[in-house]
């Protein structure tokens, strides 16, 4: 809940395993003065440097920093979102694989779900033409783009669904809503984080409540998430077994 903090690692240390340089440990960036947990990054147009984006906990504005192999530019690029909602708390943020979209999901107040989708400019790190969506239901837990950047997948408690983001029109996006999978109420589980894998499949974190030591013991998977037709898309409820290990949130 304070300003962003970073450290520099030299991969030549520790027999090639890398180590934090003592004089470059826990360095603070100036903005935002109070960042939330929502952080995302994307490779710049030059193909080697990155934009790293943080969000202000209170104003919800975005701050992007240029990260190079040997330095971080302390001058950030700010995008004012004008959400004007002190109850909005971000949970996850992602850039689309093609670098043209940025999405932020979280909650508004205690339980209401909230989504912000913006157009992202990789050259200037600015966001514009954003659309928002607030639903009077359970908060959004996870978010991920398909590898072709046409679909946005989201989790909301017991529901896994997607919307088509090829359009910039808010009504068109939300009217494309398609349910991928649901969890029966008697299973005492919920969907959480989503992550696009190197195999272009989307992996789904599943939480099981009320069972000590077994809260996160398996991972689901969306196969063929780029497909426009749901008939060509499949969901595996148990794609990976983690026992005796586990994961958290996703």
């Amino acid at each position: 809940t304070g300003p962003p903090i970073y450290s520099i690692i030299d991969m030549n240390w520790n027999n090639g395993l890398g180590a934090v340089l003592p004089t470059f440990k826990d360095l603070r960036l100036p903005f935002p003065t109070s960042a939330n947990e929502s952080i995302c990054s994307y490779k710049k147009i030059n193909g080697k440097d990155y934009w790293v984006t943080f969000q202000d906990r209170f104003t919800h504005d975005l701050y992007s920093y240029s990260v190079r192999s040997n330095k971080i530019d302390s001058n950030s690029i700010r995008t004012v979102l004008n959400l004007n909602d002190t109850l909005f708390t971000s949970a996850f943020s992602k850039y689309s694989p093609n670098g043209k979209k940025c999405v932020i999901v979280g909650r508004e107040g205690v339980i209401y779900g909230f989504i912000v989708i913006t157009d992202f400019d990789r050259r200037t790190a600015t966001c514009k033409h954003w659309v928002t969506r607030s639903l009077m239901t359970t908060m959004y837990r996870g978010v991920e783009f398909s590898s072709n950047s046409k679909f946005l997948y989201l989790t909301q408690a017991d529901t896994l669904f997607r919307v088509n983001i090829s359009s910039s029109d808010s009504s068109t996006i939300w009217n494309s809503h398609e349910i991928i999978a649901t969890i029966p109420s008697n299973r005492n589980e919920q969907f959480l984080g989503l992550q696009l894998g190197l195999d272009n499949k989307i992996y789904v974190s599943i939480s099981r409540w009320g069972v000590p030591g077994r809260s996160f013991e398996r991972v689901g998977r969306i196969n063929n998430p780029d497909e426009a037709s749901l008939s060509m898309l499949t969901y595996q409820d148990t794609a990976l077994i983690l026992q005796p290990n586990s994961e958290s949130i996703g």
Side-chain angles (χ1 to χ4, degrees), residues 45-90:
I45 288 290
N46 62 20
K48 58 181 180 179
D49 301 330
Y50 287 82
W51 293 115
V52 177
T53 302
F54 302 89
Q55 188 175 35
D56 191 287
R57 182 186 178 192
F58 300 108
T59 68
H60 317 305
D61 295 342
L62 303 178
Y63 293 84
S64 295
Y65 289 89
S66 176
V67 179
R68 305 176 186 177
S69 60
N70 59 349
K71 67 173 294 186
I72 296 179
D73 191 340
S74 60
N75 296 314
S76 62
I77 297 173
R78 180 184 180 186
T79 297
V80 178
L81 293 182
N82 288 321
L83 292 180
N84 299 320
D85 188 348
T86 58
L87 296 178
F88 177 58
T89 302
S90 296

Side-chain angles (χ1 to χ4, degrees), residues 181-199:
T182 58
I183 296 177
S185 59
N186 61 1
R187 278 174 43 182
N188 199 28
E189 295 177 332
Q190 65 177 335
F191 295 119
L192 289 177
L194 300 174
Q195 181 61 51
L196 181 67
L198 295 177
D199 56 4

Side-chain angles (χ1 to χ4, degrees), residues 6-227:
Y6 72 95
S7 300
I8 297 178
I9 297 173
D10 189 335
M11 293 304 298
N12 294 316
W13 286 26
N14 195 21
N15 296 319
L17 297 178
V20 175
L21 298 176
T23 55
F24 295 95
K25 182 179 181 180
D26 295 339
L27 303 178
R28 293 193 172 192
L29 293 170
F31 297 103
T33 54
S34 183
N36 62 22
E37 61 191 74
S38 180
I39 303 172
C40 57
S41 64
Y42 197 83
K43 187 173 289 187
K44 298 169 72 172
I45 288 290
N46 62 20
K48 58 181 180 179
D49 301 330
Y50 287 82
W51 293 115
V52 177
T53 302
F54 302 89
Q55 188 175 35
D56 191 287
R57 182 186 178 192
F58 300 108
T59 68
H60 317 305
D61 295 342
L62 303 178
Y63 293 84
S64 295
Y65 289 89
S66 176
V67 179
R68 305 176 186 177
S69 60
N70 59 349
K71 67 173 294 186
I72 296 179
D73 191 340
S74 60
N75 296 314
S76 62
I77 297 173
R78 180 184 180 186
T79 297
V80 178
L81 293 182
N82 288 321
L83 292 180
N84 299 320
D85 188 348
T86 58
L87 296 178
F88 177 58
T89 302
S90 296
F92 294 97
S93 59
K94 294 279 181 76
Y95 285 120
S96 62
N98 65 6
K100 294 183 178 180
K101 298 284 186 181
C102 178
V103 63
I104 304 161
V105 300
R107 69 176 185 267
E108 183 182 16
V110 180
I111 61 172
Y112 302 149
F114 202 101
I115 308 174
V116 179
I117 303 173
T118 76
D119 292 331
F120 180 70
D121 190 328
R122 290 172 59 193
R123 294 168 298 178
T124 62
T126 54
C127 298
K128 57 184 178 180
H129 303 141
W130 50 85
V131 296
T132 61
R133 174 72 163 177
S134 183
L135 296 180
M136 307 293 280
T137 55
T138 311
M139 68 172 285
Y140 297 99
R141 300 280 183 172
V143 61
E144 185 57 279
F145 292 90
S146 58
S147 62
N148 62 6
S149 300
K150 292 182 179 180
F151 297 99
L152 184 66
Y153 288 80
L154 300 121
T155 63
Q156 195 173 38
D158 61 355
T159 305
L160 170 62
F161 66 98
R162 74 175 183 179
V163 291
N164 189 318
I165 56 171
S166 299
S167 170
S168 294
D169 177 71
S170 179
S171 295
T172 302
I173 291 175
W174 305 124
N175 287 337
S176 70
H177 177 283
E178 295 177 303
I179 295 177
I180 307 301
T182 58
I183 296 177
S185 59
N186 61 1
R187 278 174 43 182
N188 199 28
E189 295 177 332
Q190 65 177 335
F191 295 119
L192 289 177
L194 300 174
Q195 181 61 51
L196 181 67
L198 295 177
D199 56 4
N200 290 333
K201 299 176 182 180
I202 295 178
Y203 290 83
V204 184
S205 174
I206 302 171
S207 168
R208 185 179 184 188
W209 298 112
V211 184
R214 298 179 61 193
S215 295
F216 304 90
E217 59 185 16
R218 76 181 196 280
V219 174
R221 182 171 64 205
I222 304 170
N223 301 310
N224 304 319
D226 288 350
E227 292 290 344

